[in-house]
Amino acid sequence: MKARYQYRFYPTDQQQKRLAQLFGCVRVVWNDALALCKASGK
């Protein structure tokens, strides 16, 4: 049996800005990696 947990996070304004910046960077890295995989045929 697997346990499952849910958490609610209420970030401050500064944390929201930092998270938005982090996820923007992650999105760029993911899209670049996906493009490389598609170009190499994998």
Side-chain angles (χ1 to χ4, degrees), residues 17-34:
K17 290 176 186 175
R18 296 292 300 263
L19 286 169
Q21 183 181 20
L22 172 67
F23 291 133
C25 293
V26 169
R27 180 179 46 88
V28 169
V29 171
W30 173 262
N31 287 337
D32 289 347
L34 187 61

Side-chain angles (χ1 to χ4, degrees), residues 9-22:
F9 178 56
Y10 298 98
T12 64
D13 289 339
Q14 183 181 5
Q15 289 171 333
Q16 285 179 351
K17 290 176 186 175
R18 296 292 300 263
L19 286 169
Q21 183 181 20
L22 172 67

